Amino acid sequence: MSSRSNIHALTTGQSRLTWFAWVVGLGLTAQGLAVHLHALPYTTDELQYLAWSKDLAWGYFSKPPGIAAAIRLWTFVDPQTSQLRLLAQICYGLSLAVSFKLLMRGGLSSTKSWVATLILGSIPLIGFAQWFFTTDALLLLCWLLSLLIAWEALQASSPRIALRYWTLLGVVIGLGTLCKHFMLFFWLGLAIHLAILGYRSRDHLAGVLLAFSVFVLTISPHLLWLMEHPGTTLKHLTDLQASDTKHLQTSDRLASLGMHALQGM
């Protein structure tokens, strides 16, 4: 009797998860349709990247060049850039697919992985932003891809295969950094994870060094641009802070400068 009740409970749980997945999936679809059914104006950030995409460079004030370059490539599909947010939604869909794969590799069942992925897509700060704003879509995709590739590198069956993943990881983190400087924090997370692994992380030291070398090589044109324009990023952030905080006290100005710095990433 106990085995039958366990099977019944398991079946009921799976059925509930399936229904939940359908409900959340339909909700995400409705969000996507809402974007296209209403001609929502582009944000200031989207407009500035759109303008920069017409004059490509290896940096723009406090911003790296990746998003502008991606929009430039998108114009081959959408010459009038009337569906710019569709690019973000494609990246968003790919991000959810990568998330599903990552959860499956972590040992979850396909149903649980699907439900967890939909929950990720439903979080307002992630799901809503990815449907309605273009500027962070590539960052989310590169971050999740980096998590998956790092996992594969750490779980690889042989050092040779691991080195291939470490090389690919350096490229993806580099591309993510060229879209948003915030991607640099991935290295901090990876360092903390390897520190938790302790002695086992020594086996991956060569791979991490290889990944970091490839990363530096990938972003080297942007680094050269930063060296050719010393102080540009800091001056831009300071100008933004000054224009927005003329009436604020010193402590509030410092807080505002910090917020602008995070936005610049």
Side-chain angles (χ1 to χ4, degrees):
M1 291 294 293
S2 60
S3 61
R4 289 184 179 180
S5 61
N6 289 336
I7 293 174
H8 176 71
L10 180 61
T11 304
T12 303
Q14 292 284 355
S15 178
R16 289 175 178 175
L17 284 175
T18 301
W19 276 108
F20 180 77
W22 273 105
V23 170
V24 177
L26 290 173
L28 290 175
T29 303
Q31 281 185 335
L33 291 174
V35 176
H36 294 290
L37 291 176
H38 300 281
L40 299 174
Y42 290 147
T43 64
T44 302
D45 277 352
E46 288 173 322
L47 290 174
Q48 72 178 3
Y49 280 114
L50 182 58
W52 290 338
S53 70
K54 302 179 188 301
D55 184 22
L56 293 181
W58 282 107
Y60 306 94
F61 301 104
S62 61
K63 312 289 187 181
I67 296 176
I71 293 176
R72 179 67 170 269
L73 291 174
W74 178 251
T75 58
F76 289 102
V77 179
D78 179 23
Q80 303 301 321
T81 60
S82 58
Q83 296 294 328
L84 182 58
R85 290 196 177 112
L86 183 57
L87 169 63
Q89 291 161 20
I90 291 172
C91 293
Y92 180 44
L94 292 173
S95 296
L96 294 182
V98 174
S99 172
F100 176 80
K101 176 68 174 179
L102 181 61
L103 292 167
M104 287 283 291
R105 293 291 290 121
L108 292 182
S109 67
S110 58
T111 302
K112 290 181 178 179
S113 297
W114 177 234
V115 171
T117 299
L118 290 176
I119 292 174
L120 173 67
S122 303
I123 297 173
L125 289 177
I126 296 178
F128 182 85
Q130 296 306 312
W131 282 118
F132 288 92
F133 304 110
T134 308
T135 52
D136 290 330
L138 288 168
L139 171 65
L140 179 64
L141 177 59
C142 289
W143 193 285
L144 289 172
L145 270 174
S146 297
L147 282 174
L148 178 59
I149 295 168
W151 174 270
E152 297 290 355
L154 292 171
Q155 301 296 321
S157 58
S158 70
R160 187 173 184 179
I161 295 176
L163 287 178
R164 294 177 184 173
Y165 282 115
W166 287 119
T167 302
L168 182 59
L169 180 64
V171 173
V172 174
I173 297 178
L175 292 176
T177 304
L178 289 175
C179 294
K180 283 280 188 174
H181 290 140
F182 194 86
M183 189 72 195
L184 290 169
F185 285 104
F186 189 90
W187 288 114
L188 177 61
L190 181 61
I192 293 173
H193 180 71
L194 291 176
I196 293 173
L197 287 178
Y199 71 93
R200 287 179 293 172
S201 65
R202 298 174 187 173
D203 298 334
H204 302 288
L205 181 59
V208 173
L209 292 176
L210 174 62
F212 190 77
S213 299
V214 173
F215 159 76
V216 173
L217 183 63
T218 303
I219 68 169
S220 57
H222 181 55
L223 292 177
L224 291 173
W225 183 90
L226 290 173
M227 288 187 287
E228 291 173 357
H229 302 79
T232 299
T233 296
L234 183 59
K235 184 179 183 302
H236 180 60
L237 293 174
T238 304
D239 290 343
L240 287 174
Q241 182 266 344
S243 63
D244 291 343
T245 61
K246 293 179 181 179
H247 60 287
L248 298 181
Q249 297 179 354
T250 303
S251 59
D252 294 328
R253 289 183 179 182
L254 291 174
S256 177
L257 179 59
M259 288 300 296
H260 279 302
L262 287 175
Q263 291 172 357
M265 287 184 172

